[in-house]
Amino acid sequence: MLLALALYASAGFLEFPPGETIGAMSAVAVGPGDAIYVLHRGPRPLAAFDRNGRFLRSWGEGLFELAHGLRVDREGNVWTTDNKNNLIRQFSPEGKLLRTLDAGLKAPDDLVFASTGEILVADAGHARIVKLSPNGTVLAAWGQKGTGPGEFAAAHGLAIDARDRIYVADRGNQRVQVFSLDGRRLAEWSGFGNPFGLLVAGGQLLVSDGDAHRISQLSLETGKLEAQWGGPETLKLPHLMAIDSRGVLYVAEVDGKRVQRFRR
């Protein structure tokens, strides 16, 4: 298969101050004003940076058992998933804990926000997707363990587009499954590797593959593989990703314990 050239080139890494102890880097998210947040498995697992990558603060000591997913809502609040505590937490942009949601989840890995304000959660331990109301009430759920249509080996990473189509990284089944907001299965895409994290970027779905240490670029409409790049010399277990208003791509690397920036 002849693929297009990759659109991204490395532009360095987010820099933490010398006093910060960094663990495995799980996730990165971008909020209003291109504020950058990262989540890692060190003693102070949450950190904030300004849009130019200047470190601002860190917090979260003693809260997490296994930090995993990280997103920022339209108001700038920071949301996290804790894979071992089975919890979702909401923080203010300054790091104040606002809410802790216990929605009967097991090993939640990721979450995204629909245009309706509803929250979609990759409930990996139950091999399903859970839809929550904005206040955390369970509205619906779909999926189960398996390899068939609408089933998951592990519902790991999520992405959502402007039409509220939900993309699920079915890690282990080596595919992405696409659903409507009401849980209807719309498509299944495969042939690019094992998906860990997903990100909608313009007309593409970016897929991180932690096994192969690479990023795949798929057409958002057809799922066709358009480009693939990376490797162990470039990426060290790429996980969850984010992109800012300038098109700068941020990739959290678990084994690298770093967030790498890429530019077009």
Side-chain angles (χ1 to χ4, degrees), residues 3 7-8 10-13 28-29 39 47 55 57 59 84 97 104 109-110 151 161 167 169 174 194 240 263:
L3 300 179
L7 297 179
Y8 296 93
S10 180
F13 306 91
V28 57
L39 182 66
F55 178 85
R57 59 189 167 273
W59 75 94
K84 284 191 176 178
L97 180 61
D109 277 349
D110 199 4
E151 298 177 339
D161 67 16
Y167 303 82
Q174 299 192 333
N194 198 20
L240 304 186
R263 297 184 185 273

Side-chain angles (χ1 to χ4, degrees), residues 24-260:
M25 194 65 63
S26 185
V28 57
V30 173
D34 286 336
I36 307 160
Y37 299 89
V38 302
L39 182 66
H40 64 89
R41 295 168 189 165
R44 293 176 65 84
L46 279 156
F49 298 78
D50 70 16
R51 71 193 308 265
N52 297 315
R54 182 173 64 91
F55 178 85
L56 300 175
R57 59 189 167 273
S58 62
W59 75 94
E61 190 169 13
L63 286 180
F64 291 83
E65 284 198 41
L66 187 65
H68 203 280
L70 172 69
R71 299 285 177 172
V72 182
D73 64 24
R74 284 176 289 187
E75 288 71 42
N77 296 310
V78 179
W79 296 71
T80 64
T81 66
D82 190 326
N83 184 275
K84 284 191 176 178
N85 264 341
N86 305 316
L87 298 174
I88 295 172
R89 296 183 181 90
Q90 180 194 25
F91 299 89
S92 72
E94 295 74 32
K96 179 184 178 182
L97 180 61
L98 301 176
R99 252 193 314 179
T100 300
L101 301 181
D102 183 352
L105 306 170
K106 182 180 179 182
D109 277 349
D110 199 4
L111 73 162
V112 291
F113 304 101
S115 64
T116 58
E118 294 166 326
I119 307 164
L120 289 305
V121 183
D123 189 13
H126 289 128
R128 65 180 184 171
I129 304 301
V130 176
K131 180 165 66 172
L132 305 176
S133 70
N135 65 11
T137 302
V138 176
L139 300 175
W142 65 87
Q144 62 182 8
K145 194 77 171 180
T147 61
E151 298 177 339
F152 306 103
H156 189 263
L158 297 177
I160 192 165
D161 67 16
R163 289 186 277 173
D164 283 332
R165 294 180 299 184
I166 303 153
Y167 303 82
V168 183
D170 189 2
R171 178 176 166 182
N173 280 335
Q174 299 192 333
R175 64 186 180 184
V176 170
Q177 297 193 70
V178 188
F179 298 89
S180 65
L181 190 55
D182 61 4
R184 288 181 298 111
R185 186 172 178 270
L186 303 176
E188 175 185 320
W189 301 337
S190 59
F192 48 81
N194 198 20
F196 281 52
L198 303 177
L199 177 69
V200 171
Q204 291 187 320
L205 182 71
L206 304 186
V207 183
S208 65
D209 185 337
D211 291 338
H213 308 282
R214 69 188 177 197
I215 306 291
S216 298
Q217 299 174 201
L218 311 183
S219 164
L220 199 60
E221 293 302 320
T222 67
K224 179 183 177 182
L225 180 62
E226 296 182 338
Q228 204 166 52
W229 49 274
E233 71 288 346
T234 303
L235 294 164
K236 300 182 184 300
L237 207 165
H239 203 237
L240 304 186
M241 304 170 287
I243 197 164
D244 70 13
S245 66
R246 301 165 293 185
V248 178
L249 173 66
Y250 298 85
V251 181
E253 301 178 48
V254 173
D255 287 351
K257 297 183 179 180
R258 65 192 188 185
V259 174
Q260 189 166 181

